[in-house]
Amino acid sequence: MTRALITGVTGQDGSYLAELLVGKGYDVSGLVRRLSTPNLSNLGAVRGRVAVLDGDLLDQSSLDHAVRVAQPDEIYNLAAQSFVGTSWQQPVLTSEVTGLGALRVLEAARRFADGARVYQAGSSEMFGNSPAPQDESTPFLPRSPYGVAKLAAFHFARTYRESYGMFVANGILFNHESPRRGEEFVTRKVAAWAARVARGERPVLRLGNPDARRDWGYAPEYVELMWRALQHDRPDDFVGATGETHSVLEFVSEAMSVAGCTGPVEWGSPEVARPADVFDLRGDASKARRELGWEPQTRFRGLVGIMVRAEISRPY
Ligand code: NDP
Ligand code: GDR
């Protein structure tokens, strides 16, 4: 039985990945940090089938211990402070968790999991405003502390691959969303608002930049890329994206259309303003299609439909 260790297993991607691997017959362990209020709700479908190991990306000894207990064949490092906006409020913490945390995972793998394959969760945020479409050869120009931390993690991963001959693959994934997205991200925020409007409420949706463009895909399809990257014949770096880009304004319009109603929207809210933003992300995932046979199926309208309908049927 193949053994996998997932960091960030309680998050959006970690929970979908756990479902994918359990479905493939893996023995799955998940790293979970101690919180005063436990947060395992995303693991509902596979909760009893994932071995929960205590640990934190800030604490090397807990990672060493988790790797020694899990004895993984595959390690997926998905844990991060993943909200770009917060990375300006907590730049040092973000760098510690999202950047150095990845290094700690690599060190634990190097010392205690001989031969294990490692996936590092890189991000399109590493490209910053490099012109679209972005692929594996596009220059990295990060514009947020989060993007810088992810880029450090990306280079640590490559360095461990080249220095120690470890099988370390980097994903460079563009935005991917689902009903399990954190509530502060723009897609979930808009979908939740559209559902309230559909119920007859009149909440005001306060957003930032309407013109920011993102390449939004559907998260369960993106965890498939992670798995395929570790089944490949060599460790490499892969962009994961739909190849389509849409603005935040378009997302709001489509959400209202799915909900069948309109509501009040205010743009330029100072509450969500960022000191710098990334304006136009559109990925070219040709390499993943060619080498991994990976291709996302869900497009923009399908994704907005999934998210708004999930919010409408969510108990409140
Ligand atoms: P989430 O924010 O949903 O999940 C992040 C996970 O990291 C949670 O399980 C969280 O645990 C865990 N975590 C945070 N801090 C620590 C810590 N100090 N020690 C251990 N675990 C910690 O992110 P996603 O699932 O959306 O993303 C998965 C990964 O992919 C992240 O690294 C993200 O940066 C990256 N990424 C995501 C993209 C996307 O569009 N979703 C695109 C590109 C990259 P807890 O539940 O306790 O908070
Ligand atoms: P992003 O996602 O920063 O791309 O990072 P987010 O949904 O937070 O922002 C997308 C774009 O929408 C603009 N925006 C708003 N964003 C939020 N959150 N709230 C608002 O009210 C709002 N109004 C406009 C933002 O300025 C931005 O341009 C996500 C995360 O999952 C990262 O971890 C991941 O690496 C990248 O995607 C790829």
Side-chain angles (χ1 to χ4, degrees), residues 127-136 138 174 239 280-285:
F127 292 126
N129 284 336
S130 264
Q134 296 91 4
D135 66 13
E136 293 80 1
T138 301
F174 285 60
V239 160
D280 187 17
L281 288 172
R282 175 163 62 89
D284 175 353

Side-chain angles (χ1 to χ4, degrees), residues 7-309:
T7 73
V9 75
T10 57
Q12 172 186 263
D13 291 6
S15 59
Y16 285 122
L17 180 64
E19 287 169 22
L20 179 79
L21 298 183
V22 165
K24 289 182 184 296
Y26 276 52
D27 177 350
V28 179
S29 299
L31 188 86
V32 176
R33 60 178 169 159
R34 197 252 163 202
L35 297 174
S36 50
T37 307
N39 168 27
L40 298 172
S41 56
N42 281 338
L43 285 178
V46 287
R47 186 149 170 196
R49 303 184 61 186
V50 172
V52 170
L53 300 175
D54 271 354
D56 195 302
L57 252 63
L58 297 173
D59 183 71
Q60 183 73 54
S61 64
S62 69
L63 299 175
D64 294 350
H65 183 256
V67 166
R68 292 171 84 156
V69 169
Q71 295 185 10
D73 304 296
E74 297 174 7
I75 300 174
Y76 296 85
N77 182 38
L78 310 187
Q81 190 304 93
S82 75
F83 188 53
V84 174
T86 292
S87 78
W88 280 280
Q89 266 80 53
Q90 301 182 3
V92 176
L93 179 84
T94 301
S95 303
E96 281 283 355
V97 177
T98 305
L100 285 180
L103 177 60
R104 294 187 189 99
V105 170
L106 289 164
E107 264 299 281
R110 181 181 72 82
R111 291 186 290 153
F112 302 113
D114 197 25
R117 296 183 167 204
V118 182
Y119 174 86
Q120 168 55 30
S123 162
S124 53
E125 192 68 13
M126 301 186 307
F127 292 126
N129 284 336
S130 264
Q134 296 91 4
D135 66 13
E136 293 80 1
S137 62
T138 301
F140 294 121
L141 290 168
R143 277 169 67 78
S144 61
Y146 168 85
V148 173
K150 277 290 180 193
L151 187 54
F154 174 90
H155 284 302
F156 285 136
R158 285 181 83 144
T159 301
Y160 271 56
R161 184 197 298 163
E162 289 166 15
S163 306
Y164 302 115
M166 289 169 62
F167 190 115
V168 185
N170 281 301
I172 308 173
L173 301 196
F174 285 60
N175 298 55
H176 44 276
E177 318 291 315
S178 75
R180 295 185 198 169
R181 197 43 147 156
E183 290 171 14
E184 70 273 50
F185 295 90
V186 75
T187 53
R188 175 88 187 274
K189 182 173 167 179
V190 171
W193 166 83
R196 287 182 64 190
V197 175
R199 286 198 289 269
E201 299 174 37
R202 294 289 293 167
V204 178
L205 177 62
R206 292 195 173 81
L207 294 174
N209 178 7
D211 301 319
R213 303 183 72 83
R214 290 291 183 274
D215 180 330
W216 279 296
Y218 184 40
E221 296 171 359
Y222 284 59
V223 301
E224 175 81 25
L225 182 151
M226 301 175 187
W227 177 74
R228 288 187 186 210
L230 293 198
Q231 315 314 309
H232 198 40
D233 55 9
R234 63 183 179 285
D236 208 340
D237 308 325
F238 294 100
V239 160
T242 69
E244 275 183 36
T245 185
H246 295 273
S247 67
V248 174
L249 181 61
E250 285 174 77
F251 196 100
V252 174
S253 305
E254 184 60 26
M256 288 199 275
S257 150
V258 174
C261 51
T262 59
V265 184
E266 278 177 22
W267 296 98
S269 165
E271 286 162 33
V272 294
R274 298 176 180 187
D277 204 358
V278 169
F279 299 121
D280 187 17
L281 288 172
R282 175 163 62 89
D284 175 353
S286 308
K287 181 177 172 186
R289 184 167 59 246
R290 201 172 52 244
E291 297 194 19
L292 303 178
W294 179 84
E295 194 157 15
Q297 303 301 315
T298 306
R299 300 287 151 172
F300 179 71
R301 292 185 66 184
L303 174 70
V304 181
I306 289 169
M307 293 194 69
V308 173
R309 281 191 283 277

